Amino acid sequence: GGLSTELERRGADISTHLWSAKLLIDNPSLIEDTHLAYFESGADVAITASYQASQHGFSKINVSPEETNNLLRSSVSLARSAATRSRAGRSAEAQGRPLLVAASVGCYGASLADGSEYRGEYTLS
């Protein structure tokens, strides 16, 4: 997606099974700054860095379910903060423009990080 592409362009390593969601731990300010750049460029909606985020995925790097839930909430907070920062620097007229946040929620196959969401082949036990 556009967010991950821009994060990678800015030097982020998104090659892990968590893709850009790993940055929720490693570099949340990069996520927020990238959302801000999109808003400053005229975007109306920020899509959270959470497509690949799941309790299953984060457990592979020893992140607890509780902390995973906090990271998912953080993905929304970062986008909201970027919207607030963008509004603060705008004219009164532009401040009235709604800046929205959409949660990116991957399908079950995305949490497997093996391409299942593209093939439709899920290994279930």
Side-chain angles (χ1 to χ4, degrees):
L3 177 63
S4 293
T5 300
E6 182 61 15
L7 289 167
E8 189 172 41
R9 190 190 71 74
R10 292 173 177 232
D13 177 8
I14 60 167
S15 64
T16 75
H17 70 282
L18 292 170
W19 297 355
S20 60
K22 181 73 165 61
L23 296 173
L24 293 167
I25 296 170
D26 294 344
N27 197 347
S29 62
L30 180 61
I31 295 172
E32 182 175 338
D33 290 345
T34 303
H35 284 314
L36 177 62
Y38 273 106
F39 283 133
E40 295 294 308
S41 295
D44 295 317
V45 180
I47 300 174
T48 62
S50 54
Y51 178 82
Q52 204 69 7
S54 68
Q55 289 186 357
H56 173 74
F58 276 118
S59 72
K60 292 179 180 180
I61 60 167
N62 299 314
V63 175
S64 72
E66 182 179 330
E67 182 58 21
T68 296
N69 292 341
N70 290 337
L71 290 167
L72 288 166
R73 283 189 284 275
S74 172
S75 71
V76 174
S77 296
L78 292 166
R80 285 182 175 166
S81 178
T84 299
R85 289 171 57 198
S86 181
R87 265 190 221 100
R90 295 179 179 267
S91 67
E93 180 181 323
Q95 284 181 3
R97 184 179 119 227
L99 299 178
L100 307 174
V101 173
S104 180
V105 181
C107 63
Y108 170 72
S111 72
L112 299 175
D114 66 359
S116 296
E117 73 268 34
Y118 302 111
R119 298 186 315 274
E121 299 170 7
Y122 304 107
T123 303
L124 303 174
S125 57

